[in-house]
Amino acid sequence: MSRQPVSEVTTDRTMLPTTATASTPPPPPAPPPGEPHAALFFALGYMRLPELLACWRVCRLLGEAVAVDPLLWRRVAVERPLSGRMTDQVLLKLTARAEGTLRSLRLFGCVHVSDAGLLRVVEHNPRVTEIYVPACTGLTGDGVVKIVQLLHEHKGNISRLRLDGISGMSKHHLDIIMSLMCKGNPQGQQDRSPLFYNHRAREALNTNDERPIDVDLCPVCATVGPVFDCTRDDCRKVRDSLWRCRGCYFCFPKCEKCGGCVSSEDIVDADLACSDLMCLDCWFTVPKCSTCNRPYCGRHENLMVSLSMAGQFSCQRCKEPDASHENQEDDY
């Protein structure tokens, strides 16, 4: 048998297929030392205000990205603990980053924000569609009316207001606000569907509430605030009665568990270990303190002190005497 020349064998070997690793794309280049990863810039759009302000001070590149991008400032929500530091000047500076494209402004308990300060913000952002100012005690009903009138004159489309806790709100203010909102947005008329009470309905940040405005006129005391319907069918069927249990929380206290009305007998008999109220029907269904036979509502279940026996607990009031008694024994 004749052998092939060495040069031919070498040529055949060079024609062998390369391995699969040679076709995979190279990894992306790593950012230079000291510069943030590119993914952080995409995450900026999902950050809340405290995180945005923190990124502003991390480095120069992140600070510039936060400061110059108006899309990051189209929705501004100020919550605790920043709400206690928010003033008119700071609010105007923050919202100016939106460059007139602000759509949603949510201020929760910003007591230092005044009518004049909020009006200046709205003047620079006439296309805002949501204004949440619950518990902003520096605002008044007259100031809110001026803001809504300004948006109506600029043909704005304000679709949602949250005004619970604003001082000086009256039926006159409420009528003007609702009429202007209905003119600017005919589909945004006040939703007359029943509003049932739960502890989340009283919170400022309630994203499930689709009503254009969160306050109404109480049919009993004629004050402006959240007005709740009763969850009990027998109460809701009484439509013609002036004393049907629809009203504010102070006129018709509601059960923390079912949202139904709580009678004066229930207040006496259904005693709770916390400061909230519960109807007698719900009181029978919840676990109770092994010492005083009083339950906690769902909002204060974290105050239960578990005992050694499974399923039993002690309330804070009954636990304190036990602790003081143990201290007295240690003194002896």
Side-chain angles (χ1 to χ4, degrees):
M1 297 178 64
S2 61
R3 296 183 178 180
Q4 295 180 352
V6 178
S7 60
E8 295 181 3
V9 176
T10 305
T11 305
D12 293 340
R13 288 178 179 177
T14 57
M15 297 176 62
L16 292 175
T18 57
T19 59
T21 57
S23 61
T24 57
E35 294 187 4
H37 196 277
L40 285 176
F41 295 95
F42 292 101
L44 292 176
Y46 300 92
M47 293 183 181
R48 300 183 305 166
L49 182 60
E51 287 82 9
L52 278 179
L53 297 178
C55 289
W56 200 337
R57 294 177 173 86
V58 169
C59 66
R60 179 182 58 82
L61 290 178
L62 275 180
E64 292 177 353
V66 171
V68 303
D69 190 358
L71 294 178
L72 298 177
W73 302 94
R74 294 184 66 179
R75 296 181 176 273
V76 176
V78 183
E79 304 175 73
R80 295 178 181 176
L82 294 180
S83 57
R85 308 174 185 176
M86 188 59 56
T87 61
D88 293 342
Q89 293 76 15
V90 176
L91 180 62
L92 185 62
K93 183 178 180 180
L94 285 178
T95 54
R97 297 291 177 183
E99 299 179 359
T101 63
L102 183 68
R103 293 294 182 268
S104 175
L105 179 62
R106 301 187 176 191
L107 308 177
F108 303 109
C110 297
V111 296
H112 302 297
V113 176
S114 65
D115 292 334
L118 186 59
L119 184 61
R120 290 179 62 190
V121 172
V122 174
E123 287 175 348
H124 290 83
N125 300 272
R127 300 302 177 187
V128 62
T129 60
E130 293 182 353
I131 298 179
Y132 285 32
V133 287
C136 294
T137 55
L139 302 178
T140 63
D142 293 334
V144 175
V145 169
K146 291 180 180 179
I147 291 172
V148 178
Q149 288 176 341
L150 175 66
L151 293 174
H152 179 69
E153 293 173 359
H154 286 79
K155 301 187 182 303
N157 188 24
I158 182 70
S159 60
R160 197 170 297 179
L161 282 174
R162 296 295 176 264
L163 307 174
D164 184 21
I166 299 300
S167 59
M169 285 290 295
S170 64
K171 181 180 182 300
H172 176 68
H173 297 134
L174 186 62
D175 292 340
I176 295 176
I177 293 172
M178 287 305 305
S179 63
L180 293 176
M181 291 183 66
C182 293
K183 289 179 181 179
N185 185 13
Q187 296 180 353
Q189 296 182 1
Q190 178 71 305
D191 186 7
R192 295 299 179 181
S193 59
L195 176 65
F196 301 128
Y197 172 85
N198 56 66
H199 71 272
R200 291 184 180 86
R202 296 179 65 188
E203 295 178 353
L205 182 58
N206 183 16
T207 56
N208 295 326
D209 191 357
E210 297 294 337
R211 297 174 300 158
I213 188 169
D214 63 331
V215 295
D216 200 353
L217 188 69
C218 177
V220 180
C221 63
T223 58
V224 176
V227 175
F228 302 102
D229 293 86
C230 185
T231 57
R232 303 179 187 276
D233 293 335
D234 54 347
C235 294
R236 295 173 59 191
K237 290 178 181 178
V238 186
R239 295 292 182 181
D240 298 331
S241 176
L242 295 176
W243 294 103
R244 63 189 180 95
C245 46
R246 181 182 183 272
C248 65
Y249 183 81
F250 300 100
C251 293
F252 293 103
K254 304 296 182 182
C255 173
E256 284 290 333
K257 185 175 177 61
C258 69
C261 57
V262 177
S263 63
S264 58
E265 292 80 7
D266 291 342
I267 296 177
V268 175
D269 297 335
D271 190 17
L272 300 185
C274 56
S275 59
D276 290 324
L277 300 176
M278 189 177 294
C279 67
L280 197 58
D281 294 337
C282 294
W283 187 86
F284 284 116
T285 63
V286 294
K288 300 171 182 62
C289 173
S290 59
T291 303
C292 65
N293 198 38
R294 295 182 306 163
Y296 279 110
C297 67
R299 197 157 63 104
H300 297 99
E301 289 179 347
N302 60 313
L303 299 179
M304 295 180 180
V305 180
S306 300
L307 301 178
S308 57
M309 298 183 63
Q312 294 190 3
F313 72 92
S314 177
C315 66
Q316 294 289 337
R317 188 181 301 179
C318 295
K319 191 64 178 179
E320 291 175 357
D322 293 341
S324 61
H325 181 68
E326 292 177 359
N327 294 334
Q328 292 177 0
E329 291 181 352
D330 294 340
D331 295 338
Y332 286 113

